[in-house]
Amino acid sequence: LLDPDTRIGLAPLSQVAGDRFEAMALTAQDAQRGIVLSPVRVRLTPIVEQIRTALRDGALPLRALEQAVLPSTADQRQQAALRQFLAHLDAIGILQVTTRPEASTRAWHPAAAAPTAAPDTTGGGYLDVYRQVLGAPPTADLRLLGAALTQSMRLQAMIRADAQPTPRAGAGLSAQDRPLLDIVREHLASRTPASGAATPSTHPEPVGWPRATTPGSGYARLLDHLAERTDAGRTIDLTPELLDRFAAPPAHLPWPLDCTVRPLPDGSGALDIVAPAAVLDARFGSALRRLHGGALPSADAYRSWLRRLDADSGIRSVELLFPALSRYAANAVRRPLYPSAWTGDPDLGAYCDDGPATGGFLPLGELTARAGEDGRTVISHRGEPIRPLYHSARTAPPPWDVVAGLLLSASPQNHGWVRRLRHPLCALPEHDYVPRITVAGVLVLSAAQWRVPVHRLPSPDAGGLDQARQLLRLRDELGLPRFVFVSAAPGARAPLPCDLESLQALGVLRRMAGGAAKDHAVVIEEMVPAPGELGVRDRADPAGSPVAAELMLRIPPGG
C-alpha cells in the first residue's frame, strides 16, 4: 500500500447491512469449490463510512483516497495510520488492492526480427501477437449472406418453438425485490462438492442439431424432410419457401448479432459462430484501434446504438465485470466499456481503457432481483430496472458464475447466443451420413458428415502399411474427402483437423476413437473450406502457408 498509484476498491461482493459493512470473503480453496464462508463484517464507524463513500464510484489510487479521507492538515503519522488501517481492511477482505495494468506496444516488424526468447511474465504480464497477412478472403456477396443469416435465425426459432421453452426467473426469486447478494449467498451456501448443484453458465452451451421433442411440430417435420434426402448425396438447401412450408416463424432478432463466416471461393460462406454484437471482437478492441489509427467504426456504432436504446427505453445498460480465471489471462477480459455504467469489480481500469469519470459504477450491494410478471428476472438499482450486459466470451469463475448467472438471466443478449448447428447427425440417430446443408444456397450450416463405427476404422493391431490400406478402402467406400475434421461423437467439442493422406491421420483417428466409448463411433466431416480454397497467407511464414480467415458480419435488430 506504500505506492501512491496502488488502486484500492471495495470488495465487489460487499454491502451495507444495518450498522455494519460486510463482504463475502473466500479462501483460495473455498473459491475453487465455490463456497462462501460467513461474511466478514466491520462496524460502520466514521472512518469506515468515509472510506466506503470515497470508493462508492469505483476504485481509486491510494493518493486520491487519502485526499478524500484525510484532512488537508494531516501529517505523516495520520497518513501512516490510515495506510495501516487500509492494509488491515484488505487483509480481512473488506477492500481489494490492485495495480493498474501497464500496456506497451511494439510496431510491426519482420518475423525474422521477432525476439527468440520467451517473454518475461514474472510480473504477471502477458503477450498478444498480431500478424499481418497477404491476400484477401474470397469475395462474398454480403447482401446475400446477410439475408441467408437472417433466414437461418428462422430455423433457430423453429428449434426453440419445438422445445416449448418458458421464461424462468432465477431460483430463489419472488415477486418482491430482494438484495442480489443475499440471493448469491444462498446459492453459494447450498453448493457443496457433493450437492451436484448446476453452475449457472455465463453463456448458453447447446451444440448440434437437437432431436425434436414435439411430434408434428414444424421442426419435427423438417427433420423428416432431411431424413428422406440424406441418401441422395446432394446438398440439401433450406430455402425461404421450404422454411415457410414447415411453418418457420419470422426471424425475431431483438438484439444485434455478430456472425463469423468462412468465405468460400464461389462467393458463399460457411457459418461458424453467432453471438451477441460486440462480444467476439471486444477483447481485441484496444489493439484494433491502435493498429488502425484510432478508427473502429463497428465499436463506435454499437456504443451509439446502446446510448439510443437507453434513452428510448428509459432503462440503463450496465456492463458486468469480473476477474479472469488467472492473472496470466488478464488480457482475456480486456474490452471497451460499451454501456455508460458497470457493476461487479469496481476497478474499471483493469478491464477497460475508457469509461465515465464518475457516476458509472453500480455496486452489486445496491442491486436487487425479482421475478417479473412474465416470469423473467428483473434486476434493479435503487428501484430502477437496469439492463445487465456482458461483452466477453470468457466463462465466469466461482463465485462469479453465480453472480453472472443471476444477472445475465435478465439480459436481452441471451437472444444472441444460439446453437451451433454443426452436426445434424445428433438429430438423426438412425442415419450415418448427412450431406452438406445450406440456407438459401449461399450459407453452409453443416458440412457433409459421416458417423463411422470404431470397428470400421483401421485396426491399431495391424501393421502401418495395412492400416494405410484399410484407411484408403474406407475413404473409397464412404467417399471421404482428403481434408476433414474428426470428432469423438456427434455434437462433441474440439474436433481435430485431419489430412487423410498424411501419416498423422492414423494417430488422429486412434485418438478420437479412444474418446468414442459411449457411441462407439466417431464423426468425420468435410473441411469447409479446404486448404486449397484459402485465399489468405501468413506473411510471417517463410513458406507463405495459407491460413483460415473469417468475416464477421453484424446483423441489426430485426434482421
Side-chain angles (χ1 to χ4, degrees):
L1 285 176
L2 297 180
D3 185 349
D5 293 324
T6 297
R7 298 183 63 80
I8 301 175
L10 297 173
L13 304 180
S14 60
Q15 63 185 347
V16 174
D19 63 347
R20 306 275 173 162
F21 187 71
E22 64 179 30
M24 299 185 202
L26 299 100
T27 66
Q29 180 180 7
D30 289 322
Q32 201 169 42
R33 297 165 62 196
I35 302 172
V36 169
L37 304 178
S38 299
V40 175
R41 296 184 178 93
V42 295
R43 288 190 302 114
L44 273 175
T45 60
I47 183 61
V48 172
E49 179 59 21
Q50 279 185 287
I51 294 171
R52 188 188 73 83
T53 301
L55 299 177
R56 163 62 186 74
D57 288 335
L60 290 175
L62 174 59
R63 180 190 295 107
L65 180 58
E66 289 176 337
Q67 292 173 352
V69 174
L70 292 175
S72 58
T73 57
D75 55 24
Q76 290 186 346
R77 180 183 59 81
Q78 291 171 299
Q79 183 187 60
L82 174 62
R83 292 188 178 188
Q84 187 175 10
F85 185 57
L86 294 175
H88 169 69
L89 294 180
D90 171 53
I92 65 175
I94 294 294
L95 299 179
Q96 68 172 14
V97 177
T98 59
T99 302
R100 192 180 188 93
E102 297 180 1
S104 61
T105 304
R106 183 175 178 182
W108 292 114
H109 56 271
T116 55
D120 179 14
T121 59
T122 55
Y126 51 83
L127 178 68
D128 282 341
V129 177
Y130 292 82
R131 303 213 298 253
Q132 293 177 309
V133 296
L134 298 170
T139 302
D141 189 323
L142 301 184
R143 182 183 59 83
L144 291 179
L145 276 178
L149 286 166
T150 300
Q151 289 297 318
S152 73
M153 294 300 104
R154 298 181 65 194
L155 175 57
Q156 297 285 351
M158 292 178 71
I159 293 173
R160 288 192 296 270
D162 174 78
Q164 299 180 334
T166 56
R168 185 175 64 85
L173 299 188
S174 65
Q176 302 300 317
D177 278 315
R178 295 185 59 205
L180 178 77
L181 292 185
D182 287 355
I183 303 170
V184 169
R185 185 185 299 114
E186 292 172 2
H187 277 255
L188 293 172
S190 65
R191 181 197 288 180
T192 64
S195 69
T199 299
S201 177
T202 310
H203 304 310
E205 296 184 352
V207 295
W209 293 58
R211 298 190 190 186
T213 59
T214 305
S217 69
Y219 179 62
R221 290 184 289 124
L222 175 62
L223 290 182
D224 291 340
H225 174 83
L226 298 181
E228 293 170 358
R229 285 157 179 77
T230 56
D231 295 335
R234 296 188 298 271
T235 296
I236 301 175
D237 188 39
L238 306 182
T239 64
E241 295 75 21
L242 182 68
L243 295 176
D244 290 341
R245 174 181 160 191
F246 294 114
H252 176 57
L253 303 180
W255 198 260
L257 305 177
D258 281 344
C259 309
T260 56
V261 177
R262 298 186 294 272
L264 301 176
D266 62 359
S268 62
L271 180 61
D272 186 10
I273 300 175
V274 178
V279 169
L280 299 177
D281 63 339
R283 104 145 198 71
F284 308 107
S286 296
L288 290 174
R289 283 196 183 277
R290 288 195 292 271
L291 294 174
H292 296 284
L296 196 58
S298 61
D300 295 337
Y302 177 70
R303 182 180 281 113
S304 297
W305 177 81
L306 268 185
R307 298 291 192 271
R308 293 194 303 271
L309 177 65
D310 289 5
D312 293 343
S313 65
I315 299 176
R316 194 177 192 184
S317 296
V318 180
E319 181 77 6
L320 172 61
L321 301 180
F322 54 76
L325 294 172
S326 75
R327 66 192 180 102
Y328 295 107
N331 57 338
V333 296
R334 297 288 297 177
R335 56 192 184 270
L337 182 67
Y338 290 115
S340 60
W342 82 97
T343 190
D345 194 331
D347 189 12
L348 180 65
Y351 304 82
C352 308
D353 292 333
D354 53 357
T358 59
F361 178 56
L362 309 185
L364 289 172
E366 296 180 5
L367 302 186
T368 59
R370 63 178 172 85
E373 294 181 358
D374 60 358
R376 291 180 172 86
T377 302
V378 177
I379 304 296
S380 299
H381 175 253
R382 296 181 175 176
E384 296 293 330
I386 64 171
R387 181 183 299 109
L389 301 176
Y390 177 62
H391 294 91
S392 175
R394 303 300 293 184
T395 299
W400 290 98
D401 53 346
V402 175
V403 176
L406 286 167
L407 282 179
L408 299 180
S409 65
S411 175
Q413 285 181 307
N414 289 333
H415 295 282
W417 292 106
V418 299
R419 286 181 174 270
R420 298 182 69 179
L421 300 178
R422 182 165 190 156
H423 286 165
L425 286 173
C426 296
L428 302 171
E430 303 302 322
H431 292 262
D432 291 331
Y433 167 69
V434 178
R436 183 184 294 190
I437 299 176
T438 61
V439 174
V442 296
L443 183 68
V444 179
L445 277 186
S446 306
Q449 53 204 256
W450 296 258
R451 191 195 322 262
V452 183
V454 171
H455 67 80
R456 294 195 64 183
L457 298 176
S459 172
D461 297 328
L465 186 58
D466 286 339
Q467 290 187 55
R469 293 194 186 101
Q470 292 171 20
L471 179 56
L472 182 61
R473 285 196 295 269
L474 182 66
R475 286 188 63 192
D476 290 340
E477 292 171 7
L478 299 181
L480 299 175
R482 173 181 175 180
F483 297 102
V484 297
F485 285 103
V486 186
S487 302
R493 296 181 178 276
L496 291 181
C498 184
D499 176 359
L500 293 180
E501 294 183 6
S502 166
L503 295 176
Q504 304 298 322
L506 296 172
V508 171
L509 293 175
R510 280 196 300 270
R511 178 176 171 182
M512 288 293 101
K518 181 179 179 180
D519 292 334
H520 301 289
V522 299
V523 173
I524 300 177
E525 58 185 304
E526 62 172 334
M527 186 179 292
V528 182
E533 298 174 313
L534 302 176
V536 173
R537 298 184 179 276
D538 184 359
R539 180 178 288 181
D541 183 356
S545 300
V547 293
E550 293 188 330
L551 298 175
M552 190 175 73
L553 306 180
R554 180 155 298 169
I555 308 300

